[in-house]
Amino acid sequence: MRKKIVAGNWKMNLTVNEGLVLIEELKKEVSSGIMADELIVFPPYIHLTAMVENAQNEILVGAQNCHQEENGAFTGEVSAHMLAASNIGHVLIGHSERRAYFNETNDLLAKKVEVALNASLTVVYCCGETLPEREENRHFEIIKSQLTEGLFHLTAEQMANVVIAYEPVWAIGTGKTASADQAQEVHAFIRKLVYDAYSTSIAQGVSILYGGSCNPTNANELFSKPDVDGGLIGGASLKAIDFIQIANAY
Ligand code: 13P
């Protein structure tokens, strides 16, 4: 059975103290039991070590990015190996904000994915179309190229440590969610692509998360769909009560 995962992308939000308060609140809820198999938070780099120490493995902690090289003269950057050495277990690769504001292409992301897996991180690889791409009915084509060019160079063994997140750009931070049927349609398409590139067992084992204005009100319907294995949550992950409600929406 594939894992049910609810992950919170804090983006560039929360001070270290605000983050620590949130972790404490989440831990309390997790200790009394949640429906998701894994709860992961993705804080800004500077908070990672403080969060991982306080999360004590009850909540998993991941980074929002890593550099594509193993080390070297890349001022301001952080390597996958450094993350792993600080007990960070996950990394987001290919978030649409990185693609749009930092010019991250599928080719670059393919390198990041490789370096992260080599450092034994679990990769959460993001894909999703923009509004014009959806309106032109090009979303399947766009998602296919994001996965084929950025992810499918991996071996079957490496794919076992990958989670895929479908985040339609038009739904991120807009309050406009994909309907459960729209999400299911794309998730089933993604699972079929994984099946075509690998095998039934890899396709059935990969968790595919939905992201984009997911909240306590709509999570239940989204998570009721057979190919929606959880969520990658932005705004609603910053409040413990909302995030936990989403983690219980199965
Ligand atoms: P929102 O939940 O704020 O729309 O953000 C989604 C997202 O980008 C998570 O990575």
Side-chain angles (χ1 to χ4, degrees), residues 175-178 180 210 212-223 246 249:
K176 199 171 157 191
T177 324
Y210 168 79
S213 299
C214 185
N215 60 42
T217 312
N218 58 33
N220 225 302
E221 198 185 345
L222 286 159
F223 295 0
I246 297 170

Side-chain angles (χ1 to χ4, degrees), residues 7-11 92 95-97 126 165 167-168 171-176 210-215 232-237:
N9 177 6
W10 294 3
K11 307 191 180 184
L92 283 183
H95 191 280
S96 61
E97 287 150 18
C126 306
E167 298 203 304
I172 295 179
T174 57
K176 199 171 157 191
Y210 168 79
S213 299
C214 185
N215 60 42
L232 179 55
I233 320 299
S237 74

